[in-house]
Amino acid sequence: MNRITRALAVPGLLVAGLALVGAVRAVPAATTLHLQLDRSSPEADEMLSETPASVTLWFSQAPQMSGTSVRLVPEGGEPLELAAAKAKEDDPKVIVLNVDQALPDGKYSVVWRAMAQDGHTVRGDFSFMVHATR
């Protein structure tokens, strides 16, 4: 490669590199990440003054419901018998577990498992407390 060709190649590579960086930044972050839990209600370690009507989980992607489960477990006990969690019809990234019974005061763990559209499975858990003010 002669000096003129080399002198023209360096700026060309620099422009191509900057274009590539710009293209990578243009891809939304949610499309590059694995399925993950973004937030919940109740939140982890939250203290509630009454039984929540539901436990709601917001995921970064819509999980496959066939591989997704949510359980509510009182401290030192067995999982409560509740109807299966369901995806919201208007937003399949949101999974709702309805709590159709009063919860006695105490600590409760939310144990969840979710399967991404690509079959990748993630799991997690967090706790909240119920302390009814009487």
Side-chain angles (χ1 to χ4, degrees):
M1 186 183 283
N2 64 32
R3 276 196 263 169
I4 295 173
T5 306
R6 212 173 314 157
L8 293 173
V10 171
L13 289 173
L14 182 59
V15 169
L18 290 173
L20 181 60
V21 169
V24 169
R25 286 187 179 171
V27 175
T31 62
T32 61
L33 298 175
H34 284 288
L35 175 72
Q36 64 184 22
L37 181 65
D38 286 339
R39 64 185 174 109
S40 68
S41 177
E43 295 178 358
D45 301 320
E46 186 173 356
M47 175 71 78
L48 304 175
S49 61
E50 60 187 22
T51 297
S54 63
V55 173
T56 305
L57 306 176
W58 284 264
F59 288 96
S60 59
Q61 305 171 15
Q64 292 185 47
M65 288 310 296
S66 62
T68 298
S69 65
V70 182
R71 297 181 300 153
L72 187 57
V73 184
E75 186 173 44
E78 296 295 317
L80 300 178
E81 291 189 29
L82 301 171
K86 297 186 187 244
K88 287 184 77 173
E89 287 184 29
D90 62 339
D91 188 352
K93 294 189 294 187
V94 180
I95 307 302
V96 179
L97 175 68
N98 288 319
V99 180
D100 59 0
Q101 56 187 271
L103 300 178
D105 287 0
K107 184 175 184 178
Y108 293 86
S109 293
V110 176
V111 181
W112 59 268
R113 174 184 188 268
M115 181 185 291
Q117 296 301 320
D118 66 2
H120 181 82
T121 302
V122 293
R123 304 168 195 268
D125 62 82
F126 62 90
S127 298
F128 65 88
M129 299 276 299
V130 174
H131 183 72
T133 54
R134 302 185 208 294

